[in-house]
Amino acid sequence: MTTVTSEETMRTDYTSRLKDHGGLIALAIILVFNILVTPNFLHTQTLAVNISQVATIAIVAMGMTLVIATGGIDLSVGAVMALSGALAPLIFLSDFGQAYPVLGLIAALLFPLLAALVCGMFNGIIVSVLKVQPIIATLILFISGRGIAQVLTNGNLQTFSNPEFSYLGTGKILGFPFQGWLALAIACLLFWVVNRTIFGRYLLAIGGNERAARLAGGPVRGVKIGAYVICSVLSGLAGLIVVAINSASDAARNGNLMELDAIAAAVVGGALLQGGKAPIFGAILGAVIIQLVKYTLLANGVEDEVALIAKAAIILAAVYIQQARKE
């Protein structure tokens, strides 16, 4: 008979707390380091830039969290951002947009999101109906989506001037960036959806045990398609935000490597790669960590390539913690 000492129990509790609150601990360490070492970290302009970047990552990461909760993955989020971002300036610069500015503004907001919705339907149907592995299914749009965006724009940088549209990326409410408020509103809505609706219950059930959810009569196909649609629409919104910030659209750069940031943020925030869990606010925490790691390295003279390695290390650490929780 094995006797568990109080010291071993305390050690186990301490380790468990580290695993459960690793993200918050990592965030605290990064913040303290930047406050002490990085010049102008607490400057208003620096905070505004970081919040803007965090909001974009967080919006996509929340959608990615829903997809991961079903046991899937979406590699096409960056391409959807590029496609959505390419469509808006095309509408502004068209004869219709020039002749009818108000209708052009509405169209520039709605049509890119509609295109993103179609992309999500495409991914969801291939995954749930044709039974193609998610990583392969979404790889199709990962490759073709950005190509379509570049064809639409002839590979050219599109610049425009529309203060109303630019407010999406540069506006502020009570001194806080508008896209930050938007990200928080989306988080609250998705948190309610996941925890208070039938869709949310089936979403987690599918990720936990898809076969059992199907045998119980759950709308597995519909919920999976819904998760991919939400992810793509949020990616399209993020693409519009990036374009609004810059008042320009570059199909080759908009959303580039966002799939890496979104997956990293979701996993760091507590999403389980095998599915069954959708920590929406955890995705925001993960986005903050990912952005601050990138900012910290660049602000202290570390090359961007090293930041990519750091992101990969963060994902590896998060996956290791997930595995450790199972033991």
Side-chain angles (χ1 to χ4, degrees):
M1 182 176 179
T2 304
T3 302
V4 180
T5 65
S6 59
E7 183 178 348
E8 291 174 335
T9 302
M10 291 176 63
R11 189 183 301 116
T12 301
D13 291 342
Y14 177 73
T15 304
S16 178
R17 288 174 183 171
L18 284 178
K19 293 175 181 177
D20 292 337
H21 304 289
L24 290 173
I25 295 172
L27 177 60
I29 293 173
I30 296 171
L31 288 174
V32 170
F33 176 84
N34 278 292
I35 290 172
L36 296 177
V37 176
T38 305
N40 301 319
F41 176 69
L42 295 179
H43 192 277
T44 304
Q45 185 63 29
T46 301
L47 293 176
V49 170
N50 276 313
I51 290 173
S52 298
Q53 296 295 326
V54 165
T56 305
I57 298 172
I59 288 172
V60 182
M62 286 186 280
M64 184 70 73
T65 296
L66 296 184
V67 171
I68 292 176
T70 67
I73 203 79
D74 190 348
L75 299 181
S76 68
V77 292
V80 173
M81 286 180 65
L83 180 58
S84 172
L87 287 173
L90 285 176
I91 296 173
F92 282 132
L93 300 174
S94 68
D95 293 338
F96 171 80
Q98 296 292 324
Y100 305 99
V102 175
L103 292 178
L105 174 63
I106 296 173
L109 292 171
L110 293 183
F111 278 100
L113 296 181
L114 180 61
L117 185 148
V118 172
C119 290
M121 290 287 293
F122 177 81
N123 285 336
I125 290 173
I126 291 181
V127 171
S128 63
V129 178
L130 301 183
K131 306 297 183 184
V132 177
Q133 288 291 330
I135 195 170
I136 302 299
T138 58
L139 189 62
I140 298 171
L141 267 180
F142 171 85
I143 297 171
S144 63
R146 192 175 298 278
I148 295 172
Q150 289 180 300
V151 169
L152 289 174
T153 61
N154 293 318
N156 298 323
L157 177 71
Q158 301 178 96
T159 60
F160 62 90
S161 177
N162 190 300
E164 291 79 13
F165 182 85
S166 295
Y167 186 86
L168 183 64
T170 60
K172 292 184 178 181
I173 299 177
L174 300 177
F176 192 78
F178 175 77
Q179 63 265 43
W181 290 110
L182 186 59
L184 288 175
I186 292 171
C188 292
L189 177 61
L190 291 182
F191 181 84
W192 176 80
V193 168
V194 169
N195 294 280
R196 294 290 186 270
T197 69
I198 295 175
F199 175 86
R201 287 195 286 272
Y202 278 125
L203 181 84
L204 301 181
I206 291 169
N209 190 324
E210 182 174 336
R211 185 171 181 273
R214 184 177 289 107
L215 291 175
V220 175
R221 287 183 179 179
V223 171
K224 276 191 170 184
I225 292 173
Y228 281 96
V229 165
I230 293 172
C231 184
S232 285
V233 170
L234 291 180
S235 299
L237 176 59
L240 293 180
I241 291 173
V242 172
V243 170
I245 291 173
N246 301 314
S247 291
S249 173
D250 185 350
R253 295 176 61 86
N254 190 355
N256 191 32
L257 296 180
M258 178 56 79
E259 55 279 346
L260 174 61
D261 286 346
I263 294 171
V267 173
V268 170
L272 302 178
L273 291 175
Q274 68 269 27
K277 189 177 179 182
I280 298 300
F281 286 101
I284 295 181
L285 172 63
V288 172
I289 292 174
I290 295 300
Q291 169 57 26
L292 286 183
V293 166
K294 180 166 61 175
Y295 171 81
T296 301
L297 294 174
L298 295 178
N300 289 278
V302 180
E303 296 180 355
D304 193 40
E305 290 77 6
V306 178
L308 294 177
I309 298 174
K311 291 177 187 177
I314 290 171
I315 296 175
L316 181 61
V319 172
Y320 171 77
I321 291 174
Q322 287 186 8
Q323 292 299 118
R325 282 174 177 167
K326 297 178 185 178
E327 299 175 357

